[in-house]
Amino acid sequence: MKAIWGNNTPYSKFLITVGIILLSAVLFTLISTVIATMVYGISMAELQVLMNDPSKPEALSIFKIVQTVSAAGTFLVPPFILAWLFSRDSMKYLSLKKTPKYYSAMVVILIMLAVTPLINFLGEINSQMHLPGFLKSVEDWMKQAEDQAARLTDAFLKMDTPGDFIFNIFMIGLLPAIGEELVFRGIVQKLFQQWSKNTHVAIWSSAFIFSAMHMQFYGFIPRMALGGMLGYMLAWSGSLWLPILGHFVNNAGAVVFMYLFQRGITDIDPDKIGTESDYMGVVFSLVVSAVLLFALYKREKKLNGSVNPAAEELA
């Protein structure tokens, strides 16, 4: 059974990937709701009522259980199943065998910190975009979905205790960093690389899907930009650990700064960095990020002797 679909075309592998991810998402969402009903001793009907009002403390706890279990099932489980079905060496297929150098890891951390103002600025621009008039109903639906997602995110990020902070580092920082990178860079980008034979097409196609999957139109551009940057980190290094690290720093950094802001330890609102016409900060962010990305590119090229070791593994 191992590598049973290893010789399939990239197109068929992509369809298999989508199918397994969707099946796993449905299965683990059901499992998460069952776990929530058992933990809180409530019926499915009561669970549905609570989940319609995330402002209630017990509802938020249930949301965290459902989010954690369903995210693990959607993003952590399928990549290993798919790698097992597509390759005889699952860890190599997922680009997890190669450990990045300390220097590269430090540069990635600096990149993710430096790029924050630029990403927030792109988000502000994105939020001001409007669809044509004949798509007003679609835009209204998207705004409603965005507002709903924003309320839930705000509820998640309200951290009253150190325990809330630690759990958010896991749920918002670590779990998506590993799971989403396994899916979108470890599997999807690899399939587009095989399909198109073009690294840039592979990176930006997977970044587009990565951003679209979040179903948040007003954050589409900055999320796609981040996805593209993480894709190049994999392409240059051949190690999925670098984009995982970058993704974690981006997500966990937001949690840390929000926790410090809520505690009054800092007066810097992480959501405001790079916004409110801070053009000098945005330009500085762009320049520093570009320099650091170029340094990472040159370093990895020197270490690997190739611009794209990840693609060479597929040859």
Side-chain angles (χ1 to χ4, degrees), residues 32-61:
S32 67
T33 57
V34 171
I35 291 173
T37 58
M38 292 173 63
V39 170
Y40 289 92
I42 58 177
S43 66
M44 283 289 186
E46 291 171 321
L47 177 67
Q48 185 62 43
V49 172
L50 282 172
M51 292 186 70
N52 286 330
D53 187 4
S55 63
K56 295 181 179 178
E58 60 270 32
L60 185 59
S61 298

Side-chain angles (χ1 to χ4, degrees), residues 14 35 54 71 83 98 118 121 126-127 194 198 234 274 291 295 300 302:
F14 181 75
I35 291 173
K98 184 178 178 182
L118 175 61
F121 178 71
N126 197 164
S127 68
Q194 293 174 324
N198 185 298
L234 171 61
V291 169
E300 292 301 322
K302 181 178 179 181

Side-chain angles (χ1 to χ4, degrees), residues 3-309:
I4 189 172
W5 289 326
N7 294 323
N8 282 34
T9 64
Y11 176 73
S12 67
K13 286 180 180 178
F14 181 75
L15 294 180
I16 292 167
T17 296
V18 172
I20 288 179
I21 289 173
L22 289 177
L23 285 173
S24 188
V26 171
L27 175 62
F28 276 86
T29 298
L30 290 173
I31 290 173
S32 67
T33 57
V34 171
I35 291 173
T37 58
M38 292 173 63
V39 170
Y40 289 92
I42 58 177
S43 66
M44 283 289 186
E46 291 171 321
L47 177 67
Q48 185 62 43
V49 172
L50 282 172
M51 292 186 70
N52 286 330
D53 187 4
S55 63
K56 295 181 179 178
E58 60 270 32
L60 185 59
S61 298
I62 290 171
F63 265 114
K64 287 183 176 181
I65 291 176
V66 172
Q67 172 72 16
T68 301
V69 176
S70 60
T74 302
F75 297 109
L76 282 179
V77 175
F80 290 99
I81 295 174
L82 291 164
W84 189 80
L85 293 171
F86 295 162
S87 173
R88 294 191 177 278
D89 190 338
S90 300
M91 297 297 283
K92 182 178 180 181
Y93 187 84
L94 292 170
S95 303
L96 291 172
K97 273 194 166 181
K98 184 178 178 182
T99 304
K101 300 297 183 183
Y102 175 79
Y103 171 88
S104 297
M106 290 303 300
V107 172
V108 165
I109 292 172
L110 292 174
I111 289 170
M112 301 313 296
L113 295 175
V115 81
T116 299
L118 175 61
I119 293 300
N120 286 348
F121 178 71
L122 291 175
E124 186 175 38
I125 293 175
N126 197 164
S127 68
Q128 296 171 4
M129 294 175 65
H130 297 284
L131 297 179
F134 68 92
L135 292 175
K136 185 179 185 305
S137 59
V138 176
E139 184 171 358
D140 290 342
W141 169 79
M142 289 191 302
K143 283 183 177 178
Q144 186 178 4
E146 288 278 335
D147 291 341
Q148 216 169 15
R151 285 195 297 271
L152 185 58
T153 300
D154 289 342
F156 278 153
L157 287 174
K158 189 175 183 301
M159 295 167 279
D160 297 322
T161 68
D164 292 335
F165 168 71
I166 292 170
F167 186 80
N168 275 354
I169 289 291
F170 171 75
M171 182 184 71
I172 298 174
L174 186 61
L175 188 57
I178 298 174
E180 292 179 8
E181 290 311 306
L182 281 169
V183 169
F184 294 104
R185 257 58 68 181
I187 297 289
V188 175
Q189 182 170 314
K190 191 180 300 292
L191 293 179
F192 275 105
Q193 177 75 46
Q194 293 174 324
W195 199 351
S196 67
K197 309 299 182 186
N198 185 298
T199 300
H200 305 294
V201 169
I203 288 171
W204 290 108
S205 297
S206 59
F208 179 90
I209 295 172
F210 165 70
S211 188
M213 179 276 304
H214 286 82
M215 297 295 290
Q216 292 178 309
F217 172 77
Y218 295 103
F220 185 88
I221 292 175
R223 191 172 287 109
M224 182 174 172
L226 276 173
M229 192 165 58
L230 296 170
Y232 281 107
M233 289 177 186
L234 171 61
W236 295 337
S237 67
S239 173
L240 192 67
W241 293 112
L242 282 186
I244 287 175
L245 175 62
H247 199 144
F248 175 76
V249 171
N250 179 73
N251 289 15
V255 174
V256 171
F257 275 104
M258 185 58 70
Y259 183 74
L260 296 176
F261 180 69
Q262 291 174 4
R263 284 285 179 276
I265 298 172
T266 177
D267 58 356
I268 300 174
D269 185 344
D271 292 332
K272 302 298 182 183
I273 300 173
T275 61
E276 299 180 344
S277 302
D278 180 20
Y279 299 120
M280 287 302 297
V282 173
V283 171
F284 181 76
S285 171
L286 174 62
V287 171
V288 173
S289 301
V291 169
L292 290 171
L293 279 166
F294 184 71
L296 180 66
Y297 164 78
K298 295 294 288 184
R299 172 71 173 182
E300 292 301 322
K301 184 179 180 181
K302 181 178 179 181
L303 288 173
N304 298 301
S306 166
V307 175
N308 190 358

